[in-house]
Amino acid sequence: MNQKEVPTIQVVVRSLVNWLGPELVGGLCGLDGPAPLKRWQVQPPSANEEAKLRTGYEVFTILRRAECADTARAWMIGMNPLLEDKNPIDEIGRGNGRDVLAAARTYLQDPMIT
């Protein structure tokens, strides 16, 4: 994304909740439960949480450009052989967002490998 396309964190959170739901958004941040959406309305997420949210947003967005929303969501929550059979959402939550972005780009080049 270039600088002009960078959405506010509020747009990122709202979009992710619409696409994935609050439980999975919490997982993107490495939380065991739903994202603290009410708290984030008053106080923005931490820098670490924001980076993970933005990575999840970027991954979903690039997948969504090539696939339907249901396929992009399934890719995000499924076990992924490009990530050693780990779940992309959990991997972002663990701080491995670069690996997830690379896996998403590889998938888009050849969807048959996952």
Side-chain angles (χ1 to χ4, degrees):
M1 284 185 234
N2 66 38
Q3 201 63 14
K4 292 179 184 177
E5 296 177 16
V6 176
T8 65
I9 192 60
Q10 293 83 5
V11 169
V12 167
V13 169
R14 190 172 32 251
S15 297
L16 286 169
V17 169
N18 286 336
W19 296 331
L20 302 172
E23 287 284 334
L24 294 177
V25 173
L28 279 173
C29 294
L31 305 173
D32 290 332
L37 302 173
K38 289 182 182 179
R39 179 175 50 105
W40 288 347
Q41 291 174 359
V42 178
Q43 175 185 357
S46 70
N48 185 42
E49 289 169 332
E50 182 172 345
K52 291 173 181 180
L53 290 164
R54 289 190 180 279
T55 298
Y57 180 89
E58 184 176 359
V59 170
F60 195 91
T61 300
I62 65 172
L63 291 169
R64 183 60 186 96
R65 287 183 188 139
E67 302 283 357
C68 70
D70 289 340
T71 300
R73 185 177 194 280
W75 191 92
M76 294 286 290
I77 63 175
M79 304 315 265
N80 192 305
L82 296 170
L83 298 169
E84 299 178 1
D85 288 331
K86 296 176 184 161
N87 174 295
I89 287 184
D90 292 342
E91 286 302 290
I92 292 170
R94 289 184 188 109
N96 299 323
R98 288 184 184 177
D99 294 340
V100 175
L101 277 167
R105 289 182 178 118
T106 299
Y107 165 76
L108 292 176
Q109 290 173 357
D110 185 2
M112 297 305 292
I113 57 178
T114 56

